[in-house]
Amino acid sequence: MNEVLRVVDLTKHYSNFRGLGRTAPVRAVDGVSFSVNGGEVVGFLGPNGAGKSTTIKMITGLAAPTSGEIYIDGHNVAKEHTEAMKCVGGVIESPDMYSDRTALWNLRYYASLQYAQDKKHDRKYIEERIEGVLRLVGLKGRENDKVKTYSMGMKQRLGIAQALIEMPKLLVLDEPANGLDPDGIKEIRDLLRTLAAEYGVGILVSSHQLAEMQLMCDRCLIINRGKIIEDRKISELNVDAKGNVSIVVKTDKAAEAAAFVREKFGAEVFAGDNEIRISSSLKAADITRELVLGGFNVFGVSEEEVNLEDLFMHAVHGGSEEE
């Protein structure tokens, strides 16, 4: 995959925090590094105040970093700002539209601003691009309706359409499913998956809806207190940093079975009342077979499922819901 975003040691300090009678700098973003590839949907997660919005604003050119570098499609944002910004589209917070005007009017107005200094694209090209993005986001046939008549989901899709007029290499979205009903959430999810899979757009999406992020994303980044503390593929949620899967075996001799597995496989094992939990890269079938051959009764075997919420809570709070 081609890299469309690279963030290198990005830092943002604010010096206007006053406490205990003195001014102290606040590190909103502290040495953040990550990348996004074309065709990849990356979730950007973190608690309130973790540094998500500040990072997004720096990527989209709305805030200047204290230090560090940002590359969009190979262009350094600080040194090649105009070229870099041509490669990124974004919807930060909620889409800002003229509600008493039609969707078509809004897109034409935005395009006129975008292409004001660009003599390479004539009116025909712009109209074709607008029609294309309307079809892509599922608003073709509703483009002559006033925006104020749109549902929340339609407004979000219109905002994404605006960001896609000159198909960017990178799309950055902040809470795109916020306030949407289940149908609207699925529409946004399907749209983003299509943009990534069929058009090769790299997508960085920030959200607090962890279950939806697990369905939508290929990878997730978790930021807390200005630092990236987790970078995990969604397909690897059930695997720990060593590549081990948590296997749960139901048995009537848990303590003895745990000792047997430790000696046989050298695995990390925890014994409960009627079960053992094994952290191992081995297959569950292999462990079960050896337990049975060793004379243990096995009443059930499963791989413990871990969802994105589990990963988030463990990464941010050490597994507790309280800080």
Side-chain angles (χ1 to χ4, degrees):
M1 292 184 180
N2 61 309
E3 187 179 77
V4 297
L5 170 66
R6 179 155 55 97
V7 173
V8 182
D9 200 22
L10 193 64
T11 300
K12 181 66 173 179
H13 294 175
Y14 293 103
S15 59
N16 58 350
F17 174 74
R18 292 186 178 276
L20 302 177
R22 61 189 179 89
T23 300
V26 175
R27 295 185 178 184
V29 177
D30 190 6
V32 164
S33 298
F34 64 89
S35 64
V36 176
N37 294 319
E40 182 181 38
V41 182
V42 177
F44 195 38
L45 315 175
N48 290 334
K52 298 189 306 297
S53 295
T54 302
T55 301
I56 286 175
K57 287 177 181 177
M58 287 189 285
I59 291 170
T60 53
L62 299 177
T66 302
S67 63
E69 296 179 310
I70 304 167
Y71 297 88
I72 300 176
D73 199 32
H75 299 289
N76 186 302
V77 170
K79 298 177 181 178
E80 306 169 274
H81 186 81
T82 301
E83 291 79 2
M85 290 300 102
K86 287 180 179 179
C87 300
V88 59
V91 181
I92 310 303
E93 298 176 353
S94 59
D96 191 11
M97 301 285 176
Y98 290 94
S99 61
D100 283 330
R101 300 283 190 165
T102 67
L104 183 58
W105 186 94
N106 274 277
L107 292 178
R108 283 173 173 166
Y109 177 71
Y110 177 77
S112 71
L113 298 177
Q114 185 173 3
Y115 295 120
Q117 304 299 323
D118 189 345
K119 305 303 181 183
K120 295 186 296 184
H121 301 311
D122 58 17
R123 185 173 183 83
K124 180 181 178 182
Y125 172 86
I126 295 172
E127 289 296 317
E128 288 175 350
R129 288 300 310 143
I130 290 174
E131 182 174 354
V133 296
L134 283 167
R135 291 187 184 279
L136 182 58
V137 303
L139 291 177
K140 185 62 181 173
R142 299 293 304 274
E143 68 269 31
N144 291 312
D145 295 350
K146 291 185 177 181
V147 173
K148 66 182 179 182
T149 68
Y150 275 17
S151 67
M152 184 74 74
M154 292 171 70
K155 289 177 181 177
Q156 287 286 10
R157 284 186 280 142
L158 180 58
I160 295 173
Q162 176 179 294
L164 293 174
I165 287 180
E166 187 61 24
M167 186 65 74
K169 300 291 183 69
L170 173 69
L171 182 63
V172 181
L173 304 173
D174 189 10
E175 295 287 354
N178 192 32
L180 302 187
D181 60 21
D183 287 341
I185 291 173
K186 185 177 185 303
E187 288 173 359
I188 296 298
R189 181 205 314 153
D190 292 345
L191 172 58
L192 297 187
R193 295 302 318 172
T194 297
L195 288 171
E198 298 184 16
Y199 295 88
V201 179
I203 301 173
L204 181 67
V205 52
S206 170
S207 178
H208 287 104
Q209 299 186 19
L210 301 182
E212 180 57 30
M213 288 294 95
Q214 186 164 347
L215 292 173
M216 181 188 297
C217 299
D218 301 299
R219 201 170 105 240
C220 67
L221 302 166
I222 299 178
I223 186 171
N224 192 33
R225 297 176 181 175
K227 295 179 178 291
I228 298 292
I229 57 173
E230 190 72 53
D231 184 346
R232 185 80 67 92
K233 290 182 179 179
I234 297 297
S235 61
E236 296 176 350
L237 278 183
N238 291 341
V239 182
D240 67 17
K242 297 179 181 179
N244 294 332
V245 174
S246 183
I247 301 168
V248 181
V249 179
K250 302 289 185 181
T251 180
D252 56 353
K253 298 179 180 179
E256 295 175 26
F260 176 84
V261 172
R262 287 192 197 100
E263 183 177 352
K264 185 75 176 179
F265 297 104
E268 185 179 3
V269 187
F270 300 93
D273 292 336
N274 296 300
E275 67 180 27
I276 60 174
R277 294 173 180 267
I278 307 158
S279 178
S280 175
S281 59
L282 295 169
K283 293 182 178 179
D286 295 333
I287 294 174
T288 303
R289 182 180 63 252
E290 293 300 325
L291 281 169
V292 171
L293 291 175
F296 295 94
N297 294 318
V298 176
F299 305 113
V301 181
S302 63
E303 290 187 0
E304 188 175 57
E305 294 187 0
V306 179
N307 59 37
L308 189 53
E309 182 178 359
D310 296 328
L311 177 66
F312 181 88
M313 297 306 298
H314 186 272
V316 174
H317 304 306
S320 170
E321 294 192 9
E322 297 182 2
E323 293 192 30

